[in-house]
């Protein structure tokens, strides 16, 4: 086994750097882990400065206004965010349940008000919209322990997330089964 060729050494270094970079992004540091378990309700933000979203105000709105009356508050959150995944990730780091709550109610509303064709089947655009919204929800909530979701008290439970997942899948199954060639 001789010395490593220069090009291979450079590639190995680049790969190692990428692994470290990704590990830093994906794996939260100890402080972030502590905040998630200690403050799933995001109450620690009461002493923090400016955020793109007033997560505590949003949570308060969810408790004051039942679904679907709370959709105005969901819309306000979405207006404050650009849709950039790095921005979503940063907001999820400071308030672990804020984005899941936003996308839980957005997906639920989109599913409940889904545009349907003359046969009553969800339209392709409606299915795409619901699946994208649910995908964002799942991205942020799937790694959380069900007990943490329930403990956080953002007006929905892990059981409701499971039911929403089933409803999204049922909408797809219905559309595929009843379409010509399905």
């Amino acid at each position: 086994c001789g010395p490593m060729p220069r090009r291979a050494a450079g590639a190995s270094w680049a790969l190692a750097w990428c692994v470290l970079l990704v590990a830093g992004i994906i794996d939260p540091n100890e402080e972030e882990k502590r905040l998630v378990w200690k403050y799933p309700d995001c109450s620690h933000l009461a002493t923090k400065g400016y955020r793109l979203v007033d997560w505590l105000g949003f949570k308060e709105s969810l408790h004051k206004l039942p679904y679907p009356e709370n959709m105005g508050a969901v819309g306000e959150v979405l207006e404050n965010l650009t849709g950039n995944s790095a921005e979503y990730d940063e907001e999820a780091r400071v308030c672990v349940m804020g984005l899941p709550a936003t996308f839980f109610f957005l997906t639920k509303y989109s599913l409940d008000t889904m545009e349907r064709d003359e046969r009553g089947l969800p339209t392709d655009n409606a299915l795409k919209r619901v699946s994208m919204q649910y995908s964002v929800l799942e991205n942020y909530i799937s790694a959380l322990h069900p007990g943490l979701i329930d403990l956080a008290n953002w007006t929905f439970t892990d059981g409701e997330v499971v039911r929403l997942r089933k409803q999204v899948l049922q909408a797809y199954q219905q559309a595929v089964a009843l379409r010509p060639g399905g």
Side-chain angles (χ1 to χ4, degrees):
C1 190
M4 187 180 297
R6 175 173 270 187
R7 190 172 32 181
S12 295
W13 180 85
L15 178 61
W17 179 254
C18 287
V19 168
L20 289 173
L21 179 63
V22 169
I25 293 170
I26 294 173
D27 189 26
N29 65 37
E30 290 305 314
E31 175 67 10
E32 290 168 335
K33 289 177 187 175
R34 185 184 67 73
L35 287 175
V36 166
W37 285 100
K38 189 171 182 179
Y39 302 108
D41 61 353
C42 301
S43 60
H44 67 290
L45 294 177
T47 61
K48 300 286 181 188
Y50 173 78
R51 297 268 3 122
L52 291 174
V53 175
D54 175 8
W55 292 116
L56 294 178
F58 175 55
K59 184 179 180 191
E60 185 178 318
S61 294
L62 294 179
H63 281 273
K64 286 181 179 177
L65 300 169
Y67 171 82
E69 287 83 19
N70 64 9
M71 291 309 297
V74 170
E76 279 184 42
V77 168
L78 294 171
E79 285 176 12
N80 288 319
L81 299 172
T82 63
N84 176 313
S85 63
E87 184 180 80
Y88 282 4
D89 291 347
E90 176 58 25
E91 290 301 312
R93 283 182 186 270
V94 297
C95 182
V96 71
M97 287 298 297
L99 279 170
T102 302
F103 281 91
F104 172 83
F105 288 109
L106 182 62
T107 304
K108 183 175 176 64
Y109 185 78
S110 293
L111 196 61
D112 289 347
T113 62
M114 185 179 285
E115 183 182 341
R116 297 183 178 271
D117 67 16
E118 64 280 350
R119 294 174 296 157
L121 298 176
T123 65
D124 287 341
N125 284 341
L127 283 172
K128 286 177 188 174
R129 182 175 35 259
V130 165
S131 67
M132 289 298 294
Q133 292 166 352
Y134 184 79
S135 177
V136 174
L137 165 63
E138 191 67 29
N139 182 53
Y140 289 102
I141 208 162
S142 63
L144 298 178
H145 187 280
L148 185 65
I149 296 166
D150 296 346
L151 175 70
N153 191 19
W154 280 74
T155 71
F156 67 97
T157 65
D158 180 65
E160 290 173 291
V161 173
V162 170
R163 280 192 294 283
L164 185 64
R165 180 182 304 127
K166 288 178 181 178
Q167 290 172 330
V168 170
L169 290 172
Q170 287 171 345
Y172 263 98
Q173 289 171 340
Q174 177 190 34
V176 170
L178 297 176
R179 288 214 166 99

